[in-house]
Amino acid sequence: MEYRCQSQKLHSRLLVRRLWWLREGGLSGRAHYRATQEGSFQSPLSQLCTTHSHLIGMGSELHPRNGNGTVRGPHALYFETLSRQKVVMEKKANQRKLRVCVATCNRADYSKLAPIMFGIKAESDNFELSVVVIGSHLIDDYGNTYRMIEQDDFDIQARLHTIVRGEDEAAMVESVGLALVKLPDVLNRLQPDIIVVHGDRFDALALATTAALMNIRILHIEGGEVSGTIDDSIRHSITKLAHYHVCCTRSAEQHLIAMCEDHDRILLAGCPSYDKLLNLKNKDYMGVIKKWLGDDVKPEEYIVALQHPVTTDIKHSVKMFEFTLDALISFNKKTLILFPNIDAGSKEMVRVIRKKGVEHHPNFRAVKHVPFEQFIQLVAHAGCMIGNSSCGVREAGAFGTPVINLGTRQTGRETGENVLHVRDADTENKIVHALQLQFGKRYPCSKIYGDGNSVPRIVKFLKSINLSEPLQKKFCFPPVKENISQDIDHILETLSALAVDLGGTNLRIAIVSMKGQIIKKYVQPNPKTYEDRINVIIKMCVEAASEAVTLNCRILGVGISTGGRVNPQEGVVLHSTKLIQEWCSVDLRTPISDTLHLPVWVDNDGNCAALAEKKFGQGIGVADFVTVITGTGIGGGVIHQHELVHGSSYCAGELGHIMVSLEGPECMCGSRGCIEAYASGIALQRDAKNLHDKDSLLVEGMSLKNDESVTAVHLIQAAKLGNTKANDILKTAATALGIGIVNILHTINPQLVILSGVLANQYVTVVEEVIQKRGLASVQDVSVVVSDLSEPALLGAASMVLDYTTRRTY
């Protein structure tokens, strides 16, 4: 009797300790609730009663023996029992189903989410599905589309009325706020492990925001895509909140990676709706067409119209919708028109439908909603689809249905060849013309957005989610250099370029500042052989770079201007002029870059002169202009739409070799009658020598030493002193140049012509006269100006460096 009372006291103490363990170290209330719901362990009270009864009922076996014959005390037995129970509970917890909540906002996103929901439902051993319905699903004016979900035999765990009516910008904001207020209670009740959110709607942003703040994992469908409205901002915002991503295209995947999302948490699956729609086309489509459009309508003889407001420009989108309806009325084909979504501006668009009498027009059938399976049948067999819905640029491509995409709502979306874009749909006639081009055509089927196997990939992806991984997202930022401390010398450094000009006579190198100031220049005769020339260039560059340090200039790179044809992408001189010998197939970039450890750019001297004018001279801010260099030879460069034109074989801008005469003097290129054969310094020098040989060059006031060579300078001097023959030669040269420039004006129609080089002032007046006499009326007003840059080749070489290294396009 005494023994039994002592045992009861002992077990009472154990009972108190057990209750303390449950309070202090046991499972939390939430975990206990989950485990009891799953049957993984008994209630605390039943466990205690079982343990207590077991111990009391043992009688003489109250202290069982170990294998070695020693007696185990009640404490050891008790904790051994707890340990076994803990192992069982952990094992069952690790095997429990993944609780997946799918939240849908409207008819469009349900068409993408439904296949995933069916896939999850089919895997009931692995997943526990809950469905939350919000947004326009629950509004009568938009078809009460939640009924689709019920018809698909899904249980809806929560219906939340989150839409504030008004269909304007303020109503959208208020709707997001209302959803944020209502969603926490629902998610607290459902306790999902992961919530699946689709797309770029404002409702979806509320879902993602709530889940993120409640530490619920988010799987985002269709992230990384690009379109032309506020949807872009919303979609990318959801991406940053989401923990996992399912994207439809390779481009979308690359966009997500560029947004620093973890590549291991991105699945390229394709669009879930394709799993269903690719199997729907050949079902009873005639019955569907008759149901929605009438008995007399045949496939490919009707139009499907679906147009939504553009929230960033509501007024314009409503006006564009008016043009669309007018065009459809004028086009006179049977048309199924769906009401717009609930975005700001939809109320105004509905008013337009009613003002135009579309609902009562014999050619139109206006509806709020068509079930997805039937809608896809209608799109697949339509003669054309028109509007700005994503269905037009995505799903319609799978059937080759011709599509007219209006406005900017889908700007940036990947599309098949079946889509005709009318970005600026500002007239009825433009839309009618598009309908005439597209209606009745058929295009090859496109599977840009999916191959019909998206859902199995997504279900497998869900199974791979490890809930033991940290919830906190990690972004994969590209590597950046460590911050360095700055001193006054670093702050005061002048950002500069090393510019190299390879002329026929001299080799010049300069340190050029960001503002185009030549801080220091170095000049040496240009060697005649390849090896000597490369050695001198490298030696001069090293000296200039070393001296730049003492001048407090930071060299950002090296730009090289050279005569001849250049491949600027490879930094190779393909072949040069006869003035620069042994200078073909020369890689200039590699030896200089390897020596100086700086980036190197190489281009033709005419192109460099054009770049110099673009950055520092008369061409600043001018979109289209031509620079013509008049020096030893004749060269130039063409700027079109602010970009330098190189041509398919890097031969654009060889202006000196435009032919102006069939029987003119021989040119250094081997042809005859080129501008360069008339107007270059070499050509003028040739003519000056001919005059001198005939004793017709020198006039009063001129003299020539016995050892002095005759040059173009002497010809110009003679003309100024009244030598009529010299003056005639200069006029002929200027006329030839003017005719060549007229040809340029008629070919590329620039805004401006810039004459550069030492002979520019001699030619400009005659060139303007030739343009007036020989040019078409449309080009006679073009401006012809003389460059005010003293070193265009050096400045152009520098501009290649300075533009690129300061993130400007070259």
Side-chain angles (χ1 to χ4, degrees):
M1 186 71 177
E2 180 183 353
Y3 172 81
R4 190 169 184 80
C5 291
Q6 288 175 349
S7 296
Q8 288 175 345
K9 287 180 181 178
L10 170 64
H11 298 316
S12 297
R13 288 197 297 272
L14 288 175
L15 180 62
V16 171
R17 289 179 183 176
R18 176 67 167 152
L19 289 170
W20 174 86
W21 176 82
L22 283 171
R23 189 191 69 180
E24 299 294 332
L27 295 174
S28 67
R30 182 179 297 174
H32 166 247
Y33 171 77
R34 292 178 184 170
T36 52
Q37 289 296 103
E38 295 157 8
S40 60
F41 71 102
Q42 297 171 295
S43 70
L45 182 58
S46 64
Q47 285 187 61
L48 284 171
C49 292
T50 301
T51 306
H52 190 64
S53 301
H54 174 68
L55 289 173
I56 292 175
M58 282 182 177
S60 63
E61 296 300 321
L62 180 64
H63 303 290
R65 299 177 182 273
N66 294 317
N68 58 7
T70 60
V71 177
R72 284 181 291 168
H75 289 77
L77 180 62
Y78 167 70
F79 285 111
E80 183 180 313
T81 303
L82 289 183
S83 177
R84 284 199 301 269
Q85 289 176 342
K86 185 177 180 183
V87 170
V88 171
M89 286 189 293
E90 287 179 350
K91 186 176 180 181
K92 289 187 176 181
N94 290 334
Q95 294 174 347
R96 72 169 178 80
K97 299 176 183 179
L98 185 73
R99 287 188 290 273
V100 181
C101 174
V102 177
T104 174
C105 313
N106 54 59
R107 66 190 180 196
D109 78 2
Y110 181 66
S111 69
K112 315 293 176 63
L113 294 172
I116 301 173
M117 293 162 66
F118 280 113
I120 293 171
K121 190 175 181 179
E123 297 262 1
S124 57
D125 292 340
N126 297 305
F127 302 107
E128 181 182 311
L129 175 66
S130 58
V131 180
V132 174
V133 174
I134 67 172
S136 60
H137 270 308
L138 302 167
I139 297 178
D140 181 63
D141 286 351
Y142 293 89
N144 281 327
T145 49
Y146 73 90
R147 294 194 183 109
M148 295 188 304
I149 305 170
E150 294 176 333
Q151 289 166 3
D152 285 340
D153 200 26
F154 289 113
D155 294 328
I156 299 175
Q157 277 68 38
R159 295 178 177 84
L160 297 181
H161 290 271
T162 57
I163 297 299
V164 176
R165 300 305 299 273
E167 285 76 22
D168 59 13
E169 295 94 332
M172 289 169 64
V173 177
E174 291 167 356
S175 297
V176 172
L178 185 58
L180 290 171
V181 169
K182 290 187 174 185
L183 282 166
D185 286 342
V186 172
L187 296 182
N188 262 332
R189 172 166 59 84
L190 298 177
Q191 291 295 321
D193 297 313
I194 189 164
I195 186 168
V196 180
V197 178
H198 170 269
D200 49 27
R201 307 292 302 138
F202 58 87
D203 321 71
L205 179 60
L207 285 162
T209 303
T210 305
L213 293 174
M214 294 182 69
N215 290 327
I216 299 169
R217 297 168 194 265
I218 303 165
L219 175 66
H220 184 209
I221 309 292
E222 291 187 11
E225 296 187 16
V226 177
S227 57
T229 68
I230 189 65
D231 293 353
D232 266 348
S233 300
I234 293 175
R235 186 188 309 109
H236 300 331
S237 298
I238 296 172
T239 290
K240 302 321 292 179
L241 294 169
H243 304 83
Y244 307 94
H245 311 274
V246 172
C247 55
C248 299
T249 67
R250 182 71 63 186
S251 294
E253 180 187 37
Q254 294 303 314
H255 292 157
L256 290 172
I257 293 170
M259 292 166 69
C260 304
E261 294 300 314
D262 186 350
H263 189 278
D264 292 337
R265 294 192 172 195
I266 300 171
L267 172 68
L268 174 57
C271 182
S273 65
Y274 271 54
D275 289 22
K276 201 169 187 180
L277 65 88
L278 290 176
N279 298 316
L280 287 175
K281 181 180 179 184
N282 296 319
K283 291 191 176 179
D284 180 25
Y285 60 88
M286 283 306 302
V288 174
I289 293 172
K290 288 179 180 179
K291 175 181 177 181
W292 293 99
L293 289 157
D295 295 338
D296 58 337
V297 179
K298 297 179 181 179
E300 300 183 21
E301 291 186 1
Y302 62 89
I303 296 169
V304 174
L306 179 53
Q307 197 160 333
H308 302 302
V310 178
T311 54
T312 49
D313 193 354
I314 294 171
K315 186 176 179 181
H316 177 70
S317 64
V318 172
K319 187 66 177 175
M320 184 170 63
F321 188 51
E322 289 189 47
F323 291 136
T324 303
L325 293 182
D326 289 338
L328 288 169
I329 292 168
S330 172
F331 196 63
N332 198 31
K333 297 291 181 183
K334 208 73 172 177
T335 301
L336 177 73
I337 184 165
L338 278 81
F339 279 63
N341 64 19
I342 202 166
D343 282 351
S346 61
K347 185 166 56 178
E348 289 83 352
M349 292 179 75
V350 172
R351 286 198 193 106
V352 172
I353 290 175
R354 286 169 181 156
K355 183 177 74 173
K356 301 283 183 184
V358 167
E359 291 170 295
H360 307 290
H361 195 287
N363 274 350
F364 286 84
R365 175 81 190 279
V367 297
K368 294 176 181 177
H369 167 66
V370 179
F372 178 72
E373 294 85 350
Q374 298 178 35
F375 181 66
I376 284 301
Q377 298 275 27
L378 292 166
V379 170
H381 297 280
C384 181
M385 184 175 183
I386 187 170
N388 60 9
S389 167
S390 61
C391 178
V393 297
R394 296 167 62 97
E395 283 85 352
F399 310 114
T401 301
V403 173
I404 299 169
N405 178 48
L406 302 175
T408 59
R409 190 171 186 268
Q410 301 300 335
T411 297
R413 292 265 195 198
E414 296 173 79
T415 66
E417 60 182 287
N418 63 310
V419 179
L420 173 63
H421 296 282
V422 186
R423 304 289 188 203
D424 192 12
D426 55 354
T427 65
E428 174 190 341
N429 289 339
K430 192 180 289 186
I431 299 173
V432 169
H433 188 60
L435 285 165
Q436 291 168 345
L437 289 173
Q438 286 287 78
F439 185 79
K441 280 188 177 181
R442 300 315 291 178
Y443 289 90
C445 297
S446 165
K447 292 186 179 180
I448 294 173
Y449 286 94
D451 60 1
N453 297 298
S454 164
V455 171
R457 297 182 184 115
I458 295 171
V459 171
K460 184 178 179 182
F461 188 54
L462 281 168
K463 287 180 182 177
S464 72
I465 291 174
N466 184 359
L467 297 180
S468 65
E469 289 182 350
L471 182 69
Q472 177 61 48
K473 280 187 68 169
K474 289 185 178 179
F475 299 107
C476 298
F477 294 109
V480 294
K481 293 181 179 179
E482 294 182 3
N483 291 330
I484 58 171
S485 57
Q486 290 188 339
D487 58 28
I488 191 65
D489 290 332
H490 180 78
I491 294 169
L492 295 178
E493 273 184 333
T494 302
L495 299 181
S496 307
L498 209 57
V500 179
D501 176 28
L502 282 161
T505 304
N506 291 321
L507 174 60
R508 303 182 305 150
I509 292 180
I511 301 170
V512 182
S513 74
M514 189 68 73
K515 293 182 179 180
Q517 176 190 2
I518 294 179
I519 296 171
K520 186 154 186 179
K521 184 164 63 175
Y522 310 82
V523 182
Q524 282 196 25
N526 197 347
K528 300 299 181 185
T529 64
Y530 162 77
E531 284 192 12
D532 290 343
R533 190 176 296 122
I534 285 288
N535 290 335
V536 170
I537 291 171
I538 291 175
K539 181 181 177 183
M540 291 178 70
C541 284
V542 169
E543 290 176 359
S546 300
E547 193 166 356
V549 177
T550 62
L551 296 171
N552 204 30
C553 295
R554 179 149 45 113
I555 303 298
L556 302 173
V558 182
I560 302 175
S561 166
T562 181
R565 191 163 64 95
V566 177
N567 179 344
Q569 296 175 358
E570 303 294 333
V572 173
V573 181
L574 299 175
H575 58 75
S576 190
T577 63
K578 292 181 179 178
L579 296 174
I580 308 176
Q581 300 169 10
E582 295 186 22
W583 210 237
C584 295
S585 300
V586 175
D587 178 4
L588 280 177
R589 176 176 293 164
T590 301
I592 296 173
S593 182
D594 288 349
T595 302
L596 298 178
H597 305 292
L598 288 171
V600 176
W601 288 265
V602 186
D603 213 329
N604 166 269
D605 52 5
N607 289 337
C608 286
L611 290 174
E613 298 294 341
K614 176 176 177 285
K615 186 170 181 64
F616 302 114
Q618 303 273 18
I620 293 175
V622 181
D624 298 275
F625 70 88
V626 173
T627 298
V628 181
I629 304 174
T630 57
T632 306
I634 300 289
V638 178
I639 301 291
H640 176 65
Q641 292 298 303
H642 300 286
E643 300 292 335
L644 179 64
V645 178
H646 282 104
S648 60
S649 58
Y650 315 108
C651 195
E654 287 290 349
L655 309 180
H657 299 290
I658 295 174
M659 291 181 64
V660 293
S661 172
L662 294 177
E663 300 297 333
E666 186 176 354
C667 181
M668 291 185 69
C669 70
S671 184
R672 286 184 173 275
C674 299
I675 297 175
E676 190 168 290
Y678 285 98
S680 66
I682 291 177
L684 295 183
Q685 183 181 32
R686 176 200 63 214
D687 291 336
K689 285 181 178 178
N690 288 337
L691 285 180
H692 184 61
D693 291 343
K694 297 175 183 178
D695 292 328
S696 301
L697 175 65
L698 300 180
V699 294
E700 188 177 347
M702 289 183 65
S703 61
L704 195 65
K705 296 178 181 178
N706 292 333
D707 58 346
E708 187 178 356
S709 299
V710 176
T711 66
V713 175
H714 296 109
L715 185 73
I716 295 169
Q717 184 183 6
K720 286 181 179 179
L721 292 174
N723 187 327
T724 56
K725 292 183 179 180
N727 190 64
D728 288 343
I729 291 170
L730 286 176
K731 189 169 183 179
T732 300
T735 302
L737 179 63
I739 293 171
I741 289 174
V742 168
N743 291 335
I744 295 169
L745 298 180
H746 290 168
T747 305
I748 58 176
N749 192 26
Q751 299 167 254
L752 176 69
V753 175
I754 303 172
L755 297 183
S756 179
V758 293
L759 298 171
N761 283 310
Q762 301 297 322
Y763 292 153
V764 63
T765 303
V766 177
V767 167
E768 288 176 333
E769 292 173 358
V770 173
I771 291 173
Q772 292 299 313
K773 290 178 181 178
R774 296 175 179 262
L776 293 173
S778 56
V779 302
Q780 288 178 2
D781 293 334
V782 70
S783 296
V784 180
V785 298
V786 175
S787 172
D788 53 11
L789 300 179
S790 58
E791 297 284 0
L794 286 173
L795 292 176
S799 75
M800 292 190 289
V801 178
L802 301 174
D803 276 354
Y804 184 85
T805 53
T806 53
R807 302 298 188 269
R808 293 181 61 183
T809 303
Y810 161 58

